[in-house]
Amino acid sequence: MSEYQYYEFQAIDRPLTAEEQATLRRYSSRAKITSRRFVVDYSWGAFKGDEAEWVEKYFDAFLYLANWGTHRLMLRLPRGVFPLEMAKKYCAGHSASVCAKGNHVILAFESNDEEGGEWVDEDEDGTLAALLPLRAELASGDLRALYIAWLGCAQADEFEDDDVEPPCPPGLGELSPALEAFAEFLRVESDLLEAAAVASPKLEALDNAGLEAWVVALPESEKTSLLVRLVGGTEAYLHGELVRRFRESRASQVPACKTTARTVEELLKAASSRAEERRRQEAERAARERAREAREEAKRRDRYLTQLETRETEAWHEVDALIATMKPTKYDEAISLLVDLRDVCTRDGRSDEATTRIARLTEEHAKKPSLLKRLKKASLL
């Protein structure tokens, strides 16, 4: 199997300058480069740039896929809108890490699976598109992506059994499309995610009444400042900042976590129990479905045999005619019809009659080994 590697970088907060694009072009003559994206894949050869350095200097998001099973994602956010210390509580393993570089915080996530395979099919918008909304969600104070990454580390045995989970954010049971894509990208098992979500309160909706009351309570000078920043249009994270502040103002009204902080061992055991129960239920559903199909097939078979019984005499003659052709395909048809006729007789309590007829037929065609072989295989001898 040949190698395949896919690299995609995206600049979101600001476009690349012409000079920067020219600098990046020196690393690849075949990459697709625009003011917002750098995309290249390799079936042979290797990437000549430094992923971490490029994210630090130029890009806000980076995705890497390899057909031997490696998935890698990096996201860059301004330090002013993202809590570095809080992120460290979640990004504490090999598969999830965080660091500060200049005015930015850089998150790095990785998943490895020796079975390889594609994550999603690439389309004209690139495979990174499904994950980009994570940046805005993180900027608005939504920490579910970080918790999912922590679960990925726990699943990969990167923590001790008695290590305790970080704060469980609300809304784990109702993921956004980007978070669902992220969990799939990191290969976090659904059973583990569901086990963790038991302790996650419902995500509070941004209701207009609550927002209005919060805005009204803001000092006039602050409202003026926010409007000026909004009209200026240069602050990409203003919306996220306001959402985060609103949620923080209502933190005391949010239901508390339903359980005390759980250990890695407790979460993994809960996930294992869920997986076992899910497999049991799936096996029961499959058994019920097989039983239903068997009943339906039995009804269809009974209707067919009833219809065949109305022309039984003709069918026995048809068997003789098929055998007389001495063609293998016709032998197969004859055997199939013989099985049906035997079952008609058995159903009516005439098994001896069928046995006698088939025995006589066998004697008549004793010099046809191909036919006898088929009769034996069909358990008609």
Side-chain angles (χ1 to χ4, degrees):
M1 180 177 65
S2 62
E3 294 183 354
Y4 177 79
Q5 299 179 78
Y6 176 84
Y7 295 79
E8 182 178 354
F9 297 84
Q10 287 217 29
I12 301 170
D13 291 348
R14 72 164 184 87
L16 299 173
T17 65
E19 181 180 356
E20 288 171 332
Q21 293 178 58
T23 298
L24 299 179
R25 174 58 69 190
R26 291 199 289 268
Y27 289 88
S28 174
S29 60
R30 48 188 294 274
K32 299 176 183 177
I33 303 178
T34 69
S35 62
R36 294 289 184 180
R37 294 179 71 211
F38 179 103
V39 181
V40 67
D41 59 67
Y42 298 94
S43 295
W44 307 100
F47 180 63
K48 296 179 176 61
D50 185 312
E51 304 161 9
E53 182 181 343
W54 281 27
V55 171
E56 182 181 347
K57 288 184 177 180
Y58 308 113
F59 295 101
D60 300 300
F62 162 69
L63 177 140
Y64 170 79
L65 301 173
N67 66 341
W68 53 78
T70 298
H71 293 175
R72 193 176 302 137
L73 174 71
M74 298 177 72
L75 298 174
R76 185 181 73 169
L77 294 98
R79 293 187 69 171
V81 302
F82 191 70
L84 175 62
E85 294 307 314
M86 178 63 74
K88 289 180 178 179
K89 296 180 180 180
Y90 297 88
C91 302
H94 171 73
S95 302
S97 60
V98 60
C99 65
K101 294 289 185 180
N103 295 324
H104 291 93
V105 171
I106 298 177
L107 297 161
F109 309 104
E110 186 170 317
S111 172
N112 291 281
D113 183 352
E114 293 180 359
E115 294 184 2
E118 295 293 330
W119 171 52
V120 290
D121 294 329
E122 180 185 354
D123 57 30
E124 61 182 9
D125 294 323
T127 55
L128 183 52
L131 299 171
L132 286 181
L134 294 174
R135 294 181 73 248
E137 292 178 3
L138 287 165
S140 67
D142 188 339
L143 300 179
R144 287 178 293 174
L146 299 187
Y147 188 90
I148 290 172
W150 182 87
L151 286 177
C153 293
Q155 180 178 288
D157 295 325
E158 296 179 15
F159 302 132
E160 299 296 330
D161 285 346
D162 57 356
D163 284 344
V164 177
E165 66 178 330
C168 184
L172 277 179
E174 42 187 338
L175 301 182
S176 67
L179 287 168
E180 290 180 350
F182 186 56
E184 180 184 355
F185 182 80
L186 292 184
R187 302 182 175 100
V188 176
E189 296 174 0
S190 59
D191 296 304
L192 179 56
L193 190 54
E194 289 173 7
V198 170
S200 176
K202 187 175 179 62
L203 187 66
E204 182 187 19
L206 297 177
D207 64 290
N208 290 335
L211 281 171
E212 182 178 353
W214 178 71
V215 171
V216 168
L218 291 174
E220 290 298 325
S221 59
E222 189 170 3
K223 294 177 188 177
T224 301
S225 174
L226 289 172
L227 282 172
V228 169
R229 292 168 62 190
L230 175 64
V231 175
T234 59
E235 298 189 44
Y237 296 95
L238 181 57
H239 174 267
E241 175 190 334
L242 294 175
V243 171
R244 184 177 67 253
R245 288 178 56 185
F246 171 69
R247 284 178 172 158
E248 288 174 351
S249 72
R250 297 168 63 90
S252 60
Q253 303 175 32
V254 176
C257 181
K258 298 177 182 178
T259 63
T260 57
R262 298 157 292 183
T263 65
V264 169
E265 183 179 25
E266 288 171 338
L267 280 167
L268 294 179
K269 283 186 175 180
S272 179
S273 297
R274 281 180 171 268
E276 184 177 350
E277 176 63 17
R278 174 176 51 78
R279 287 191 291 268
R280 185 190 65 78
Q281 292 179 0
E282 289 173 353
E284 289 181 353
R285 284 195 295 270
R288 289 195 297 271
E289 179 62 19
R290 288 193 298 271
R292 185 194 65 79
E293 291 176 352
R295 289 193 298 271
E296 291 297 321
E297 177 58 29
K299 291 178 181 178
R300 287 192 294 269
R301 179 71 174 167
D302 189 64
R303 288 194 296 269
Y304 168 73
L305 294 179
T306 298
Q307 186 274 332
L308 180 61
E309 187 177 13
T310 62
R311 60 181 193 88
E312 182 179 348
T313 301
E314 178 186 345
W316 283 108
H317 291 311
E318 186 178 341
V319 169
D320 293 332
L322 288 168
I323 294 175
T325 65
M326 299 183 65
K327 296 179 179 179
T329 55
K330 298 301 182 180
Y331 281 174
D332 291 336
E333 292 181 31
I335 296 300
S336 177
L337 187 53
L338 273 174
V339 169
D340 295 340
L341 288 167
R342 179 199 61 189
D343 290 351
V344 166
C345 292
T346 299
R347 190 184 67 164
D348 294 346
R350 297 183 288 121
S351 297
D352 291 344
E353 178 183 337
T355 300
T356 300
R357 281 178 172 271
I358 294 173
R360 184 167 57 247
L361 185 149
T362 302
E363 291 176 2
E364 292 174 359
H365 301 285
K367 294 183 179 182
K368 295 185 174 68
S370 178
L371 175 64
L372 296 178
K373 182 179 179 181
R374 286 171 167 78
L375 286 167
K376 184 177 181 179
K377 184 177 181 180
S379 299
L380 291 171
L381 289 182

